[in-house]
Amino acid sequence: MKHDLFAKRLAGAVILLLAAALLPAATVSFQEEQYGGTITYNEAAKPGEAVFARMSLKFARNFKKRGAPEMAAVLQLYQGGKKIDSAQFYFVNSKLRRQTAPELLAGLPLSTWLSAEEGYSIRILFATGASPEKEMALPFTLEGAEYNSETLLLDDKNSAIKQDMSAERLAQIERLNAILGTITPQDIYTQKPFIRPVQSTRLTACFGDRRIYQYTNGKSSTSLHYGNDYGVPEGTDVSACGDGRVVMAEFRISTGWSVVIEHLPGLYSLYYHLSALSVSEGQMVRQGEKIGASGSTGLATGPHLHWEVRLNMCAVRPEFFMQDFTFQEPEN
C-alpha cells in the first residue's frame, strides 16, 4: 500500500473503533395472552455493519408441564415499504428450547451500498402454535458512512492471479461460497465479542475500500475490500477472534493459506495470506488460540493478515463484532 494512505486510514479506523465501543441498543417489551417477552437490538448502524436482535420469551404457566409450543421468528429489514432482507431467529441455547423461557437471536448484514438518505425499518414476525402470528415494528436509523477509494498497480504475478479463470480457482470460489452460505441453527459456539486476531492495530487497508485493480496488460477491474488488512511481519501469530469450529484450512489460489471459522449460524471469520497453518478442518478452537502465522501467500503485495467477517454470506465490518453484538446477559 502507498505510505501516504496510512495516516488517513489509521485515523478513520480509530474513529470507527471509538464509535463501535458504544453499540446503540434498545429494549422493547411485549405481552400477549399466552406469552410475553423482550427484544433487545441495536437501533442504529452504518452501512457495512449489521442489525442483531435478541428475543427473550416467557410463556404462560399452562405451558410449563408440556414445554413451550413450536415457534418461529423472523427478523426483517425494510426500505420504505419494501422488504429487502430477512433472517430466521435461532435458539441460542438448545436446552432452553424445551423450557418456557427460551432465548433467540438473529442478525442481518447491512450492505455498504445502502444509503442513509433512504428510510429503513426493522420488523419481527413471531409465530407459535399457541396464538396468531404477531408482527412488531421497531424504530431503526441507518447512519452515514464513508469509505476510501484507491487504485492498486499489480505486478505480473498478482495480475495473473486476479485474472485467473481456471477451473481450479472457480471450484475454490464455489466451495467457499457453499461454506459461507451454510446456516446451521444448532451451531452456537460463542456469544462473546470478538477480539483482533493480531496484537497490531496498524491497518494497511480497511473494510469497505473501493478498489480499482490495474493489471500489467493495461486492463483493470473494480471490487470491494471485504476485510481489514493488518500490516504485520511475516510469521506473526494469528489467533481466532472467537470460539468456533474450523470449516476450512487449506491453500487457495487467490487468498493463499486460508482459515475459515464458524462462530454462529451464518457467522464466519476468515483469515487470508497466511504463511503457515496451526489448525485443521473440523477442529474446535477457543478465542485467542493460535490458528496460523501471517504471510504473503496468494494475491498479496507484501506480508499482512487479511481478517474478514461474513454474516449470511455478506461481508460486515469486523469491528462491529468486537462489541456485545448478541446482547448476552453478563455471567454472575
Side-chain angles (χ1 to χ4, degrees), residues 152-190:
L152 295 181
L153 303 178
L154 302 184
D155 58 15
D156 288 338
K157 167 182 169 290
N158 286 324
S159 292
I161 292 175
K162 188 65 177 174
Q163 298 177 94
D164 185 348
M165 297 300 291
S166 66
E168 181 183 6
R169 181 167 180 262
L170 294 178
Q172 290 176 351
I173 294 173
E174 184 177 355
R175 168 168 153 73
L176 177 61
N177 287 337
I179 289 173
L180 299 179
T182 300
I183 300 176
T184 308
Q186 64 268 26
D187 288 356
I188 312 295
Y189 299 117
T190 186

Side-chain angles (χ1 to χ4, degrees), residues 71-147:
M71 65 191 81
V74 180
L75 178 65
Q76 300 177 326
L77 175 66
Y78 275 76
Q79 182 183 54
K82 180 182 179 181
K83 183 179 70 174
I84 60 174
D85 203 358
S86 65
Q88 293 282 340
F89 278 82
Y90 47 85
F91 293 89
V92 293
N93 189 323
S94 59
K95 294 180 180 178
L96 291 177
R97 185 172 185 174
R98 297 187 293 273
Q99 300 177 4
T100 55
E103 294 194 352
L104 302 93
L105 186 70
L108 280 175
L110 301 172
S111 169
T112 61
W113 302 109
L114 295 182
S115 172
E117 297 178 359
E118 303 287 343
Y120 294 87
S121 61
I122 297 296
R123 300 183 192 179
I124 292 179
L125 296 181
F126 178 69
T128 172
S131 57
E133 182 179 85
K134 179 178 179 61
E135 179 175 335
M136 292 167 277
L138 305 176
F140 176 74
T141 301
L142 184 70
E143 301 173 338
E146 294 184 3
Y147 292 102

Side-chain angles (χ1 to χ4, degrees), residues 69-329:
E70 288 297 317
M71 65 191 81
V74 180
L75 178 65
Q76 300 177 326
L77 175 66
Y78 275 76
Q79 182 183 54
K82 180 182 179 181
K83 183 179 70 174
I84 60 174
D85 203 358
S86 65
Q88 293 282 340
F89 278 82
Y90 47 85
F91 293 89
V92 293
N93 189 323
S94 59
K95 294 180 180 178
L96 291 177
R97 185 172 185 174
R98 297 187 293 273
Q99 300 177 4
T100 55
E103 294 194 352
L104 302 93
L105 186 70
L108 280 175
L110 301 172
S111 169
T112 61
W113 302 109
L114 295 182
S115 172
E117 297 178 359
E118 303 287 343
Y120 294 87
S121 61
I122 297 296
R123 300 183 192 179
I124 292 179
L125 296 181
F126 178 69
T128 172
S131 57
E133 182 179 85
K134 179 178 179 61
E135 179 175 335
M136 292 167 277
L138 305 176
F140 176 74
T141 301
L142 184 70
E143 301 173 338
E146 294 184 3
Y147 292 102
N148 297 319
S149 298
E150 63 176 341
T151 298
L152 295 181
L153 303 178
L154 302 184
D155 58 15
D156 288 338
K157 167 182 169 290
N158 286 324
S159 292
I161 292 175
K162 188 65 177 174
Q163 298 177 94
D164 185 348
M165 297 300 291
S166 66
E168 181 183 6
R169 181 167 180 262
L170 294 178
Q172 290 176 351
I173 294 173
E174 184 177 355
R175 168 168 153 73
L176 177 61
N177 287 337
I179 289 173
L180 299 179
T182 300
I183 300 176
T184 308
Q186 64 268 26
D187 288 356
I188 312 295
Y189 299 117
T190 186
Q191 295 182 60
K192 298 189 302 182
F194 288 173
I195 61 173
R196 282 194 313 274
V198 291
Q199 293 185 356
S200 175
T201 59
R202 177 175 175 263
L203 293 172
T204 57
C206 296
F207 168 84
D209 285 351
R210 273 61 171 159
R211 286 181 162 181
I212 299 175
Y213 290 98
Q214 191 69 49
Y215 308 132
T216 52
N217 62 6
K219 295 182 179 181
S220 64
S221 65
T222 60
S223 69
L224 189 73
H225 192 235
Y226 290 142
N228 285 340
D229 285 352
Y230 291 92
V232 292
E234 179 143 354
T236 299
D237 285 354
V238 176
S239 303
C241 65
D243 296 352
R245 180 172 65 93
V246 177
V247 292
M248 175 183 284
E250 63 187 42
F251 187 87
R252 305 179 71 245
I253 293 173
S254 57
T255 61
W257 288 108
S258 306
V259 173
V260 179
I261 301 174
E262 180 187 25
H263 302 283
L264 285 170
L267 181 61
Y268 298 84
S269 61
L270 302 84
Y271 313 78
Y272 288 163
H273 309 299
L274 304 175
S275 60
L277 304 183
S278 303
V279 293
S280 57
E281 185 174 330
Q283 181 177 334
M284 302 300 299
V285 293
R286 304 291 292 180
Q287 185 177 66
E289 180 178 344
K290 182 179 177 180
I291 60 173
S294 64
S296 56
T297 57
L299 199 165
T301 58
H304 71 285
L305 170 70
H306 174 95
W307 178 40
E308 186 175 318
V309 180
R310 296 287 190 107
L311 174 62
N312 301 347
M313 294 193 73
C314 183
V316 176
R317 188 169 67 87
E319 290 90 346
F320 175 84
F321 297 95
M322 296 173 69
Q323 314 165 86
D324 182 21
F325 67 95
T326 67
F327 310 107
Q328 183 181 28
E329 289 290 335

